[in-house]
Amino acid sequence: MTTLTVTILVLLHVSFAPSLAAQLPGNHDTNDKSSSLLPPVATNGQPFPWIHMRLPETVSPIHYDLLVHPNLTSLDFTGAVQIQLQVFEDTSTIILHSKELQIAKAELLAPEGPGPLQVLEYPAFHQLALVSDVLLVRGGTYKVRLEFSANLSDSFHGFYKSSYRTTTGEVRFMASTQFEATSARAAFPCFDEPAFKANFTIQIRREARHIALSNMPKVKTVELPGGVLEDHFDTSVRMSTYLVAFIVSDFQSVSKTTSHGVKISVYAVPDKINQTDFALNAAVRLLDFYDDYFDIPYPLPKQDLAAIPDFQSGAMENWGLTTYREAGLLFDPNKSSASDKLGITMVIAHELAHQVSGTNLCWFINQMLCQNIQYLQTVFHILLWKCFEAMEVDSLSSSHPVSSQVDTPTQIQEMFDDVSYDKGACILNMLRDFLTPEAFKIGIVRYLRRYSYQNTVNSHLWESLTNGRLKDDGFCSQEKKWYSGDQLDVRAIMDTWTLQEGFPLVTVEVRGRQVRLSQERYLKTDDPSQTHGFLWQVPLTYITSSSSTVHRFLLKTRTDVLYLPEEVEWVKFNVDMSGYYMVHYEGEGWRSLTSLLLTNHRALSSNDRASLINNAFQLVSVGKVGLDTALDLSLYLSKETDIMPVTQGLGELVPLYKLMEKRDMEGLENQMKGYIVELFRGLIDRQTWSDEGSVSQRVLRSYLLLFGSVRNHPPCVATATHLFNKWRASDGNMSLPSDVSLAVFAIGARDPEGWDFLFEKYRHSQHTSVKSRIKSALSISPLQHKLMEQSLAGEVMKTQDLPHVVISVSRNPKGYKLAWDFLRHNWHTLVKKFDLGSHSISGMVTGVTNQYSTREMLDEVRGFFDSLSEETGSGLRCIQQTYESIEENIRWMDQHLPQLKAWLDRQAQGARTETRGHEDL
């Protein structure tokens, strides 16, 4: 098999369109595992004429004429596809994809007339073989036509059914598509690999009460016998099958036109169309920004955004018809929170960036966006969260390079994970900082213009970015900031970040003016041999107590030395954590930085403070830093007010008591909880129960008041209880501040009457943001056992929300066993609904188990997953990650619990001594 590159860096599809395509480029490798299997046998018992999972390159599609007719009463569909082919090698067999489609007819359309094609099916690889009596000659073009039918899928991929309930209680059905990564084959026979780009002309039949949408604008509607209407859509540009989209529904829409003449429309169910204005205005402004920034016109005449009632992922970048969860598109200014506003904007920005960039450079584009839209500037640090999340997975032995070999559709699905996307974003940000933003932009624009509508490889991007620094662009002098000597080689640098897994731990030791540097792989393992053989080219940045100027040094070897102009009190590496690496400060380094935070924490940026918190606690896990050192550093948080370090502090401290919850250590657990609440008590108590302030202030308020309420901080519980009682007395009609309503609902859901009242409000609400907060409150309640079965049934709570519900239930000390039992008892149903390898499945596997900390639970988890077959998931990467995480939790608890208890005892004793001292005064 050849390499699949699912990465923010290049994602190998450049037709000014979205992310995945051409990630399976090149000829078939002789190492293709499928080639060693026994010859495949078709469903009719005949030999199947192809043994590889990847399609042959003997023919390639040029154009698809696709007709689809869904029946929203019988919930099935029929269709026909005519594919024009170009032949590259003489052949009498055409291999293409089809999954769970009934093929009624297949014929070759030759000049002398149509002729039948023999159809052989091999379901294991989702392949069809069309065998012709006529030799297809190299250099020729031919057409094949297939008629097919299938049921609308019960899952969230392929051509699937979705439903919603109106305000009057009527259930209505619609049909929508989700083809990424390998599900176009479940909707029509096709060459379902990204490199097989073609043009598409689509026709959709429907009833008069429905509308049809597709990638391109509708050019005409033809009335057929029986009152059926047939919509004809314009021919698309060349694109991959996973970007094809069509919808049949009773949606309504609102529209505007950008300053560049592109019609933007937002579609939603009729009862929620009044929640689309914010998305419409954001989309218009975003697309105009992208057009102006890149000076590359959006290539289509329209862009539709559709809110789908049932949708597994957050959104999908189908070209010209982006699709979203309702929560990712619908906004009510009277009901939605600051977090909702931020989330919707960023999701739309991401999907529209796909439309413009042609590669998955979406985070870079979003970063430019944050600097130009006022209310996003205060949360510009969101990438830092993504980097921490990616590092958590990338620190395990089961991690993978950003560019990795894959063999199956399941493995392709697994590549859409935190490493591929979030790590890709982080190393792209590092490269941008390395080259300078100006040079990076020049290189990206050059790349997009040169390779539009083509398949690319990673080296094309690296070459464009290297050339972005040539003298004629005016940036050659910037290179001296980093590196002197040979000409800068972006490819050599970035290959060390994309072709090997993991990331470096840079150790810094300051001796006078001399700074000794070394690098090794950061890996949470008790087998040090697994850290050998890794070397990165690391673009280091640092500031010192004597200079706030950002200094730079490219670390290309395992060890090196740099010299400071003078001796300093402290040095901080990885400024603003723009680099994808951790830093360990030997000698007095950590003590100096801790002292700085305790005395003048604002001498460092909020991102620098957050990164120090993260690095200190993560280095405890690998034995580089003592737990006392990390906890001593955390003491400064009592003075912290910025969102990034506060949330990172909670993110490092809360999991410690979560591990104890799984070991029934109530005394130490409560001691740890008490320390955290006391650490943030002043900041929590200063929060108002309102929607006032900047976006970052409002998001932080939501976070803190929810934490205080869940942790039973008396002022929070009292206020939340009072507000909930008033809200319930008004039958839910009283207006609650949106930003604090989750904390209010969480307290209200603690007793059976409150839980039932909230569930009924969830059942009848048409406000997506309100339903989302009620769902979260219900799932963290001690009464949450009712919720998972409700979500699986999908009648009131959507099954799309089940992964979130299961993970939330597992976080409750009374629910973690319930969540685990639910996951394993419903495993086969879940993998059929959500698809093996999907982010939903991996999220549930790791989310439910990653706080287990006993050998007994590890044995139970291993026993279940080891009992699975390969077809039902035994080889999933998330299972290996789960084993590693639980092993790491067990090691951490066994090694550090005595230190933790002793440190907390000292803190408690110190607090008592201080209290007595105040009393004496």
Side-chain angles (χ1 to χ4, degrees):
M1 290 294 292
T2 54
T3 296
L4 171 72
T5 308
V6 184
T7 168
I8 294 242
L9 302 173
V10 93
L11 281 199
L12 303 180
H13 171 57
V14 183
S15 45
F16 291 138
S19 62
L20 174 65
Q23 296 162 47
L24 300 169
N27 294 319
H28 295 291
D29 196 304
T30 55
N31 293 324
D32 185 346
K33 295 180 181 179
S34 57
S35 63
S36 63
L37 302 176
L38 294 174
V41 177
T43 53
N44 65 356
Q46 295 184 21
F48 192 78
W50 184 248
I51 65 173
H52 302 281
M53 187 166 288
R54 289 283 308 283
L55 297 181
E57 297 176 346
T58 52
V59 302
S60 182
I62 300 172
H63 187 274
Y64 291 82
D65 279 291
L66 176 62
L67 169 67
V68 180
H69 184 186
N71 186 320
L72 296 186
T73 301
S74 57
L75 300 178
D76 54 18
F77 66 97
T78 58
V81 63
Q82 180 176 294
I83 311 174
Q84 183 181 8
L85 304 168
Q86 185 173 3
V87 180
F88 297 103
E89 297 177 19
D90 291 354
T91 184
S92 59
T93 302
I94 300 167
I95 308 295
L96 70 164
H97 288 112
S98 174
K99 181 181 179 183
E100 298 178 357
L101 299 174
Q102 301 298 316
I103 306 300
K105 186 178 182 180
E107 54 188 2
L108 178 68
L109 303 181
E112 59 273 18
L117 292 168
Q118 182 187 13
V119 179
L120 300 176
E121 299 183 56
Y122 187 56
F125 287 179
H126 308 155
Q127 289 177 354
L128 288 181
L130 306 179
V131 183
S132 172
D133 294 333
V134 178
L135 181 67
L136 309 183
V137 181
R138 177 182 177 180
T141 58
Y142 299 82
K143 292 182 179 179
V144 295
R145 186 177 186 277
L146 298 95
E147 297 178 4
F148 55 92
S149 63
N151 292 323
L152 290 170
S153 174
D154 289 322
S155 67
F156 298 103
H157 39 270
F159 194 23
Y160 69 95
K161 64 185 178 185
S162 176
S163 65
Y164 71 94
R165 191 180 298 272
T166 68
T167 53
T168 62
E170 177 190 0
V171 176
R172 295 182 181 176
F173 287 93
M174 58 165 292
S176 184
T177 58
Q178 171 62 33
F179 291 161
E180 190 178 52
T182 60
S183 291
R185 64 192 67 177
F188 60 100
C190 58
F191 295 79
D192 199 16
E193 293 179 10
F196 289 109
K197 295 185 177 72
N199 302 100
F200 292 82
T201 304
I202 295 175
Q203 302 171 17
I204 301 176
R205 291 178 181 172
R206 59 177 174 85
E207 297 179 51
R209 62 193 175 102
H210 294 134
I211 63 167
L213 302 173
S214 191
N215 305 84
M216 299 299 291
K218 184 173 64 175
V219 293
K220 67 176 180 179
T221 298
V222 177
E223 187 169 355
L224 303 178
V228 174
L229 301 179
E230 184 177 272
D231 291 333
H232 293 231
F233 295 89
D234 206 351
T235 300
S236 76
V237 295
R238 290 181 69 244
M239 62 184 184
S240 305
T241 49
Y242 81 98
L243 294 173
V244 174
F246 37 88
I247 296 170
V248 176
S249 69
D250 66 346
F251 282 177
Q252 294 179 0
S253 66
V254 294
S255 301
K256 279 188 177 181
T257 301
T258 71
S259 61
H260 296 272
V262 179
K263 183 181 180 181
I264 307 288
S265 301
V266 180
Y267 289 83
V269 301
D271 290 333
K272 299 179 182 178
I273 196 63
N274 61 346
Q275 300 177 47
T276 56
D277 285 346
F278 176 79
L280 177 64
N281 293 324
V284 169
R285 187 173 180 184
L286 288 164
L287 203 57
D288 274 336
F289 167 76
Y290 294 151
D291 275 0
D292 293 338
Y293 183 84
F294 286 103
D295 194 25
I296 298 176
Y298 176 68
L300 302 180
K302 63 95 173 177
Q303 172 62 223
D304 296 334
L305 300 84
I308 311 299
D310 298 278
F311 200 80
Q312 180 175 341
S313 57
M316 176 60 202
E317 67 269 18
N318 315 300
W319 208 356
L321 175 55
T322 52
T323 47
Y324 303 77
R325 279 194 177 204
E326 290 185 329
L329 202 62
L330 303 182
F331 181 88
D332 184 332
N334 297 317
K335 301 287 186 179
S336 301
S337 67
S339 297
D340 297 327
K341 185 177 187 179
L342 172 64
I344 290 169
T345 304
M346 297 305 289
V347 169
I348 295 173
H350 183 91
E351 301 313 317
L352 295 188
H354 278 295
Q355 309 290 298
V356 177
S357 70
T359 61
N360 201 356
L361 296 162
C362 300
W363 177 81
F364 161 68
I365 300 173
N366 286 357
Q367 186 180 40
M368 299 303 97
L369 168 76
C370 288
Q371 296 173 349
N372 286 272
I373 293 185
Q374 185 61 41
Y375 67 84
L376 294 181
Q377 292 177 353
T378 53
V379 287
F380 182 55
H381 313 295
I382 192 169
L383 178 68
L384 196 57
W385 285 321
K386 295 296 184 182
C387 295
F388 291 149
E389 290 173 0
M391 285 177 159
E392 187 68 27
V393 178
D394 210 17
S395 65
L396 302 176
S397 299
S398 53
S399 186
H400 61 87
V402 173
S403 298
S404 298
Q405 173 179 301
V406 294
D407 295 309
T408 68
T410 295
Q411 292 170 348
I412 294 173
Q413 288 267 43
E414 285 190 296
M415 288 297 293
F416 291 82
D417 65 358
D418 288 342
V419 170
S420 296
Y421 276 107
D422 294 343
K423 179 180 180 177
C426 296
I427 61 179
L428 185 62
N429 180 53
M430 180 172 64
L431 180 61
R432 175 178 177 267
D433 186 63
F434 175 81
L435 298 176
T436 75
E438 298 86 356
F440 187 84
K441 176 186 174 182
I442 288 172
I444 291 299
V445 172
R446 175 185 287 114
Y447 173 73
L448 295 177
R449 288 176 175 168
R450 180 174 180 180
Y451 294 107
S452 61
Y453 303 98
Q454 300 178 38
N455 296 327
T456 70
V457 294
N458 285 6
S459 59
H460 293 154
L461 178 60
W462 309 146
E463 290 165 6
S464 297
L465 289 168
T466 299
N467 293 337
R469 299 178 57 84
L470 294 178
K471 288 184 179 179
D472 60 352
D473 289 320
F475 296 106
C476 185
S477 62
Q478 295 289 343
E479 188 169 317
K480 295 178 182 177
K481 295 182 359 182
W482 286 96
Y483 178 62
S484 59
D486 298 336
Q487 182 179 356
L488 181 68
D489 187 342
V490 173
R491 179 176 181 176
I493 295 169
M494 296 311 295
D495 280 354
T496 69
W497 296 93
T498 62
L499 300 182
Q500 61 182 349
E501 68 269 27
F503 59 90
L505 167 61
V506 176
T507 297
V508 175
E509 184 180 11
V510 180
R511 296 185 178 182
R513 291 179 50 240
Q514 187 184 80
V515 181
R516 297 186 178 184
L517 304 168
S518 64
Q519 63 163 295
E520 61 187 294
R521 184 184 178 188
Y522 177 88
L523 187 66
K524 292 180 178 177
T525 179
D526 53 4
D527 181 5
S529 66
Q530 295 188 42
T531 65
H532 296 163
F534 290 85
L535 183 67
W536 287 265
Q537 293 195 27
V538 189
L540 300 176
T541 56
Y542 62 96
I543 56 176
T544 72
S545 58
S546 298
S547 174
S548 59
T549 300
V550 178
H551 303 276
R552 304 170 187 275
F553 185 85
L554 184 61
L555 179 63
K556 301 175 68 175
T557 54
R558 201 165 303 282
T559 62
D560 209 333
V561 177
L562 65 83
Y563 292 89
L564 302 174
E566 59 184 319
E567 294 189 12
V568 297
E569 296 178 5
W570 54 263
V571 60
K572 166 65 172 69
F573 274 78
N574 201 359
V575 178
D576 285 333
M577 200 169 165
S578 59
Y580 187 73
Y581 57 91
M582 284 191 187
V583 183
H584 170 46
Y585 302 90
E586 283 198 335
E588 293 297 308
W590 280 111
R591 194 185 312 276
S592 298
L593 289 167
T594 298
S595 176
L596 174 67
L597 291 174
L598 288 168
T599 57
N600 183 22
H601 66 282
R602 292 201 174 274
L604 299 175
S605 70
S606 62
N607 272 17
D608 276 332
R609 303 195 302 267
S611 69
L612 285 174
I613 296 165
N614 170 268
N615 287 192
F617 279 93
Q618 293 304 311
L619 290 171
V620 171
S621 297
V622 295
K624 296 286 186 180
V625 168
L627 180 59
D628 287 8
T629 298
L631 290 169
D632 286 347
L633 185 147
S634 76
L635 289 169
Y636 106 89
L637 286 166
S638 63
K639 300 183 294 184
E640 186 60 82
T641 58
D642 286 356
I643 185 170
M644 276 307 307
V646 168
T647 54
Q648 193 58 39
L650 287 167
E652 299 294 344
L653 293 168
V654 167
L656 302 187
Y657 71 71
K658 286 294 182 182
L659 295 179
M660 299 174 206
E661 288 176 346
K662 313 304 185 291
R663 286 197 175 194
D664 298 325
M665 308 177 67
E666 188 173 358
L668 185 57
E669 171 193 330
N670 288 334
Q671 203 174 353
M672 186 68 200
K673 291 175 179 176
Y675 167 69
I676 300 172
V677 171
E678 183 61 27
L679 192 64
F680 293 102
R681 178 173 59 83
L683 186 59
I684 294 172
D685 289 347
R686 291 196 297 272
Q687 302 303 308
T688 61
W689 292 71
S690 69
D691 287 337
E692 300 171 348
S694 68
V695 172
S696 61
Q697 289 171 336
R698 294 174 63 184
V699 172
L700 180 60
R701 177 188 300 129
S702 298
Y703 197 100
L704 288 171
L705 293 181
L706 176 63
F707 174 76
S709 299
V710 171
R711 288 278 57 85
N712 296 313
H713 183 46
C716 291
V717 174
T719 303
T721 301
H722 172 71
L723 289 173
F724 182 78
N725 289 338
K726 288 181 64 178
W727 182 73
R728 182 167 61 176
S730 73
D731 195 28
N733 294 317
M734 186 187 88
S735 179
L736 285 173
S738 301
D739 296 335
V740 304
S741 57
L742 177 53
V744 173
F745 294 158
I747 292 299
R750 287 182 167 182
D751 65 75
E753 295 78 12
W755 200 98
D756 291 340
F757 181 81
L758 283 164
F759 188 76
E760 285 305 306
K761 290 302 168 187
Y762 180 94
R763 182 195 301 271
H764 297 293
S765 177
Q766 292 291 325
H767 298 281
T768 304
S769 58
V770 173
K771 290 170 77 79
S772 178
R773 290 192 289 276
I774 292 177
K775 173 193 66 184
S776 295
L778 295 176
S779 63
I780 63 177
S781 161
L783 307 172
Q784 84 292 84
H785 61 276
K786 309 175 184 180
L787 208 59
M788 293 182 291
E789 293 295 342
Q790 286 276 6
S791 187
L792 181 61
E795 294 178 2
V796 177
M797 187 163 288
K798 290 286 188 181
T799 305
Q800 67 178 17
D801 296 323
L802 180 60
H804 170 81
V805 169
V806 171
I807 294 169
S808 296
V809 169
S810 74
R811 294 289 184 261
N812 192 302
K814 296 183 179 179
Y816 74 93
K817 279 289 291 178
L818 292 173
W820 166 241
D821 290 341
F822 178 88
L823 180 66
R824 56 179 175 166
H825 292 155
N826 293 282
W827 178 259
H828 298 291
T829 301
L830 295 174
V831 296
K832 183 177 180 181
K833 184 72 174 179
F834 293 102
D835 217 9
L836 267 182
S838 69
H839 195 269
S840 298
I841 292 296
S842 63
M844 283 188 284
V845 170
T846 57
V848 167
T849 61
N850 65 7
Q851 292 177 347
Y852 292 167
S853 61
T854 66
R855 186 67 56 184
E856 292 76 17
M857 281 307 302
L858 176 61
D859 292 341
E860 187 173 313
V861 170
R862 194 184 295 274
F864 170 71
F865 287 122
D866 286 354
S867 72
L868 300 177
S869 65
E870 185 175 352
E871 291 74 20
T872 56
S874 64
L876 291 176
R877 182 184 290 117
C878 62
I879 294 174
Q880 301 307 313
Q881 293 170 345
T882 288
Y883 296 161
E884 286 190 67
S885 295
I886 301 176
E887 290 275 14
E888 162 60 19
N889 292 342
I890 294 170
R891 278 197 304 273
W892 198 100
M893 294 288 278
D894 290 347
Q895 292 173 10
H896 299 297
L897 273 183
Q899 291 175 283
L900 178 60
K901 186 175 188 329
W903 190 90
L904 290 171
D905 286 344
R906 287 197 301 273
Q907 289 303 118
Q909 179 62 37
R912 287 193 293 270
T913 300
E914 183 177 354
T915 300
R916 285 197 297 269
H918 289 161
E919 290 173 351
D920 292 341
L921 291 175

